[in-house]
Amino acid sequence: MKRIKNNISILFLVLATSIASAQIKFEAKVSKKTLGVNERLRIDFEMNQDGDNFVPPSFADFDLVGGPNTSVSNYSRNGKRSYNKTYSYFLAPKKRGKFTIKQATIEIDGETYKTFPITIEVTAAVNKPNGETAASDVAEDNIHLVAEVSNASPYLNEAITVVYKLYVSTETGVSNWREKDIPRYNDFWSQNIDIKGLNVLEGEYKGEKYRYVVLRKTVLYPQKIGALKLEPLVLDITVEVPTNRRDIFGRPLMTKVPKVVTAGSRTLNVKPLPEQGKPSDFKGAVGNYSFKVTTSKTQLNATESLQAKIEVTGNGNLKLFELPKLTVPSSLEVYEPEHQENIRTNLGGMQGGISDTYTIVPQYKGKYPIPSISFSYFNPETASYKRITSDEIVIDVLEGPTASINNTENTTEGVKQAVNSNTNTFAFIKTASNWSSIKEEQFFKSTGFWSLLLLPFLAIPLAIVVRRKTDERNADVQGNRIRKADRLAKKYLGEAKKALGQKEAFYLALEKALHNYLKAKLNIETSDFNKEKIENLLTERQVESNVVSDFISILENCELARYTPITQVTMKNDYDKAAKTISLIDKQLR
């Protein structure tokens, strides 16, 4: 009987042990219950069985500076399975006092479990905060994103480089990163340089050893002067921070902390190009260049072709200016140039060359000079303007018809020659036919007969009205002058109006229209004229000074607009101003 009682006792003991081992635990633990206002609090929510719908407390009296971090351990020992899951939060108290962290909840096997509330006392700041440093604080001190700018005070259109580096201390690590906000360079011409692979390099940050990777390289050309702001690059990264716990080999266990880092905004002071010494043919080229004009041949026969090449090579804003134009005698027919670019961009800026290749076809026998062409640029290294002038090239046409006009006169556009018709071009055309009418009708007293008879009498009143209107219109001298001026403005500005909205095409067409108008009205070639000469010539022809100033300002806008951002509204205003100015000049010219 005693033996049976012993067996029953053992059975109850085993059942109690099994029930205890199967008991579900969900509890909250804090790193300390009393801390200074300048210290950090860690709170862990631990469970011995996985659950769903975990809801943490609000932490209303604290700032969340890290977390949640999740850790899971699941292992078997001596045939017994052990499971543990923890949600960790790092908190910073907002003020001194006693605060209660309320319950957290979770669902496990269909049942809802809650933690006990915990009361925390926050005291005055301590001189040396004790306890474990929050992982977010460690990440803050050991991860830095830096934007390195090559030149904080560049000239307009001078190349600068921005290199973005992520510095990581040797004690922490980064498991992944993502660009959260990419800078937009609104006031710059920009180009990113491809980075093949992220190489970890050794360096220093504020005198301490760090590892770093280069994330981005960008080349910028400022298009405005003054203080220009560079927007910051912002990254989402996951930082691996060591904890006080260690694995079985003695190595510190790492915890992962999400963090947002930014390079911060930078301000550049962009200097204007100096006005002193600026050449009249300067078109905005900034850098260090060489310039040449070459031809594929200098001797050929009439109707054969040759190529003339205008080429600029070097280092600078190669994509942001136009090449000078080719000027040839009228008997050399010139076709639109073929533009070519061979440019590569690295940390030194744009390098390579651009060229315009013209195809030229001579029409008559003789020798034709291609005048010298000059090219000006600003060198930021010496802070001075440079001008390069090509040599004159003589084209010798050996065989061909002799021109009856002077072919040495220079023009900016080739003049196409008249085509001589060939009398044998068409086959013989019959002058008679043997056609016969299918149905003969008499015209006399037909509908057509009476219509033609009455038509002159009906047209007499209409002719009288038209004549009176014409006389009135001809008598209106001022009105005719205004209408003629408006038609002339529309004629020359037609191409510019079609290109509204396309900055480069619009201002190129607008500048060409203004020059063509002067050529037509003043019978001059504007290729050798600068703005000062045009201003003097219009003033001599009794054009009002304010109208002349408007005309010159439009020309200057055409040059400046190629290198600065322009809105649709600005282009429309420049077009309207050009039309009004041409109309006023046409009415005032004497």
Side-chain angles (χ1 to χ4, degrees):
M1 187 71 180
K2 185 177 181 180
R3 185 174 181 181
I4 293 174
K5 290 181 180 181
N6 289 338
N7 290 338
I8 293 174
S9 300
I10 294 172
L11 179 60
F12 275 111
L13 181 62
V14 171
L15 290 173
T17 305
S18 299
I19 293 172
S21 63
Q23 184 178 1
I24 295 175
K25 291 183 180 180
F26 178 54
E27 55 187 357
K29 296 180 180 180
V30 294
S31 57
K32 57 178 67 177
K33 291 189 176 183
T34 302
L35 70 156
V37 72
N38 60 334
E39 292 186 289
R40 299 292 183 264
L41 175 70
R42 174 174 176 168
I43 181 169
D44 295 331
F45 299 96
E46 298 181 355
M47 64 204 74
N48 63 352
Q49 188 170 332
D50 198 7
D52 299 314
N53 301 324
F54 170 71
V55 180
S58 64
F59 304 127
D61 300 309
F62 298 85
D63 289 323
L64 180 64
V65 295
N69 297 333
T70 305
S71 62
V72 177
S73 62
N74 189 2
Y75 61 93
S76 296
R77 181 179 296 173
N78 299 326
K80 294 182 179 180
R81 177 179 173 274
S82 176
Y83 178 88
N84 184 270
K85 184 175 183 179
T86 304
Y87 292 101
S88 300
Y89 293 83
F90 297 91
L91 308 176
K94 294 181 178 180
K95 58 185 178 180
R96 290 186 291 175
K98 286 188 177 182
F99 308 103
T100 299
I101 298 177
K102 296 183 180 181
Q103 297 172 317
T105 62
I106 196 170
E107 293 181 7
I108 301 176
D109 292 337
E111 295 287 338
T112 300
Y113 293 84
K114 299 180 180 180
T115 61
F116 290 106
I118 300 177
T119 300
I120 303 296
E121 182 178 2
V122 180
T123 64
V126 296
N127 293 330
K128 294 183 179 180
N130 55 10
E132 182 178 4
T133 304
S136 59
D137 293 340
V138 176
E140 182 75 26
D141 296 335
N142 291 275
I143 304 293
H144 308 281
L145 181 61
V146 178
E148 297 181 355
V149 179
S150 62
N151 185 0
S153 183
Y155 283 101
L156 180 71
N157 264 306
E158 180 185 0
I160 59 174
T161 58
V162 183
V163 180
Y164 295 93
K165 296 180 179 179
L166 181 65
Y167 286 89
V168 182
S169 72
T170 56
E171 299 176 356
T172 57
V174 174
S175 58
N176 61 66
W177 63 277
R178 178 181 65 87
E179 291 180 341
K180 185 176 182 179
D181 191 15
I182 301 174
R184 296 180 297 273
Y185 307 105
N186 295 326
D187 297 323
F188 301 84
W189 182 96
S190 63
Q191 181 167 333
N192 291 327
I193 299 175
D194 292 335
I195 298 177
K196 297 181 179 179
L198 297 178
N199 297 322
V200 180
L201 304 172
E202 299 289 336
E204 288 189 359
Y205 178 78
K206 294 185 177 180
E208 297 183 6
K209 289 185 177 181
Y210 273 79
R211 298 165 296 165
Y212 72 91
V213 292
V214 176
L215 301 179
R216 265 178 168 265
K217 297 179 182 178
T218 305
V219 176
L220 303 176
Y221 286 87
Q223 301 297 293
K224 292 173 62 177
I225 61 174
L228 302 184
K229 182 172 288 187
L230 294 178
E231 294 182 355
L233 174 66
V234 182
L235 301 180
D236 264 336
I237 62 176
T238 300
V239 186
E240 295 181 346
V241 178
T243 65
N244 291 331
R245 294 177 295 174
R246 296 182 178 274
D247 60 15
I248 59 175
F249 299 103
R251 296 172 299 190
L253 295 175
M254 308 293 283
T255 183
K256 294 183 177 180
V257 179
K259 182 172 177 57
V260 177
V261 294
T262 176
S265 61
R266 297 286 300 273
T267 300
L268 305 182
N269 182 27
V270 181
K271 299 178 292 188
L273 300 180
E275 291 296 327
Q276 183 178 2
K278 180 185 289 186
S280 59
D281 60 348
F282 178 70
K283 298 293 185 182
V286 177
N288 190 9
Y289 300 105
S290 60
F291 172 73
K292 63 180 179 180
V293 179
T294 58
T295 57
S296 58
K297 60 180 80 171
T298 56
Q299 291 184 341
L300 72 165
N301 297 327
T303 71
E304 293 181 352
S305 65
L306 63 92
Q307 281 72 43
K309 187 175 184 180
I310 299 177
E311 184 178 14
V312 171
T313 58
N315 183 356
N317 61 334
L318 288 163
K319 293 184 178 181
L320 304 177
F321 64 86
E322 291 187 356
L323 292 170
K325 303 299 182 182
L326 182 70
T327 303
V328 299
S330 60
S331 292
L332 299 179
E333 187 173 4
V334 182
Y335 294 88
E336 286 296 321
E338 178 186 357
H339 185 75
Q340 292 182 332
E341 295 182 353
N342 182 19
I343 301 173
R344 63 186 182 278
T345 304
N346 53 30
L347 287 179
M350 287 185 274
Q351 298 178 356
I354 58 175
S355 64
D356 282 343
T357 302
Y358 295 80
T359 297
I360 301 175
V361 181
Q363 301 296 315
Y364 301 101
K365 178 181 178 181
K367 293 187 177 182
Y368 304 95
I370 296 179
S372 60
I373 302 174
S374 63
F375 170 72
S376 300
Y377 65 93
F378 178 77
N379 190 335
E381 295 181 358
T382 61
S384 61
Y385 291 95
K386 307 290 182 182
R387 170 179 279 170
I388 305 174
T389 303
S390 66
D391 296 329
E392 181 182 272
I393 301 174
V394 178
I395 305 300
D396 189 5
V397 182
L398 302 176
E399 297 182 5
T402 302
S404 59
I405 60 174
N406 183 11
N407 292 324
T408 61
E409 180 185 358
N410 291 338
T411 64
T412 57
E413 297 180 1
V415 178
K416 295 186 179 295
Q417 304 301 318
V419 178
N420 297 322
S421 61
N422 188 343
T423 56
N424 297 322
T425 302
F426 302 100
F428 174 73
I429 300 176
K430 293 182 179 182
T431 58
S433 67
N434 55 358
W435 294 342
S436 60
S437 176
I438 299 176
K439 182 180 179 181
E440 295 183 358
E441 290 183 357
Q442 291 184 354
F443 180 73
F444 182 72
K445 294 185 179 181
S446 65
T447 303
F449 171 82
W450 294 114
S451 299
L452 292 175
L453 184 63
L454 296 175
L455 185 62
F457 298 98
L458 297 175
I460 289 173
L462 181 62
I464 293 173
V465 173
V466 172
R467 180 60 181 268
R468 287 178 179 176
K469 293 294 183 182
T470 303
D471 291 342
E472 292 176 1
R473 190 179 182 91
N474 292 337
D476 185 10
V477 177
Q478 183 64 20
N480 287 338
R481 194 174 183 87
I482 293 173
R483 284 187 289 272
K484 180 182 177 182
D486 291 340
R487 286 196 302 270
L488 194 64
K490 292 178 181 179
K491 172 186 174 183
Y492 285 101
L493 296 174
E495 292 298 324
K497 187 174 183 180
K498 294 177 183 178
L500 269 172
Q502 306 172 27
K503 185 187 76 172
E504 294 185 3
F506 169 75
Y507 281 102
L508 185 63
L510 185 61
E511 185 178 21
K512 186 175 181 181
L514 296 176
H515 281 277
N516 286 342
Y517 170 77
L518 290 181
K519 289 162 58 179
K521 296 300 293 182
L522 305 179
N523 296 320
I524 62 169
E525 294 298 336
T526 59
S527 58
D528 296 329
F529 277 67
N530 56 32
K531 291 188 287 290
E532 292 78 12
K533 292 183 179 179
I534 293 174
E535 183 176 2
N536 294 334
L537 193 57
L538 291 175
T539 304
E540 292 174 1
R541 298 293 293 271
Q542 300 182 15
V543 178
E544 294 178 2
S545 60
N546 61 326
V547 178
V548 175
S549 299
D550 288 343
F551 188 90
I552 298 301
S553 69
I554 296 170
L555 285 176
E556 292 174 346
N557 287 350
C558 292
E559 296 177 0
L560 184 63
R562 298 171 186 163
Y563 315 109
T564 57
I566 297 295
T567 64
Q568 176 82 11
V569 175
T570 304
M571 283 189 277
K572 184 64 169 62
N573 291 340
D574 286 342
Y575 174 84
D576 294 338
K577 184 178 180 181
K580 179 181 177 182
T581 304
I582 289 177
S583 180
L584 291 173
I585 291 176
D586 196 65
K587 287 185 286 186
Q588 297 175 12
L589 276 175
R590 297 289 185 270

